[in-house]
Structures are given as structure tokens and as C-alpha cells.
Amino acid sequence: MNADTIRQLIESGLPGARADVRGDDGVHFEATVVCAAFAGKLPLARHRLVYATLGDRMGGEIHALQLKTLTPEEAAA
């Protein structure tokens, strides 16, 4: 697994999302995801939306994913 593939999965699974994914070892990653769908949701709910785009890869091909989830308004602030 690589960072670009994860970015593509997140962005295709969350319409309108922008993801910046980093990770050099192929199993540990960190991502900043900006998406309007996060509005009004608590951090755990936001993370679940992102994890849903990755499916069974979480805990398998992706050992760890540190997330920062923001609405477009939060990202602009």
C-alpha cells in the first residue's frame, strides 16, 4: 500500500474530499482529510467515514492511519 493509493480511495469514497496522505514505510500513514460531509460530526464519526472508504485494508494492508479531519471552513481558519 502506498500513500497515493490511500489518497485516491479516500477521495473517491468521500465525494468532494481532499486528502493529503503521508507514510514512507508502507504500513503506517498519516492523513489530513478536508470534506464538507464532516460538518456537524464529532471526530469519531468523521474518522469512521474515512475508515469506511478503506474497508478491510484497515488493520491489514494499512496497519495504522493517524487522521486529522476538517471541514473546508475549519481548514481555511
Side-chain angles (χ1 to χ4, degrees), residues 22 29-30 40 62:
R22 294 167 303 287
F29 300 92
E30 43 184 84
I62 304 168

Side-chain angles (χ1 to χ4, degrees), residues 21-71:
V21 182
R22 294 167 303 287
D24 295 328
D25 67 1
V27 292
H28 299 91
F29 300 92
E30 43 184 84
T32 300
V33 183
V34 178
C35 185
F38 295 153
K41 292 185 173 47
L42 295 173
L44 182 58
R46 293 175 179 197
H47 290 197
R48 286 181 177 154
L49 285 172
V50 175
Y51 293 148
T53 69
L54 302 171
D56 292 339
R57 294 172 184 89
M58 285 303 304
E61 296 171 80
I62 304 168
H63 177 71
L65 176 63
Q66 179 181 348
L67 287 173
K68 181 175 184 180
T69 53
L70 305 165
T71 65

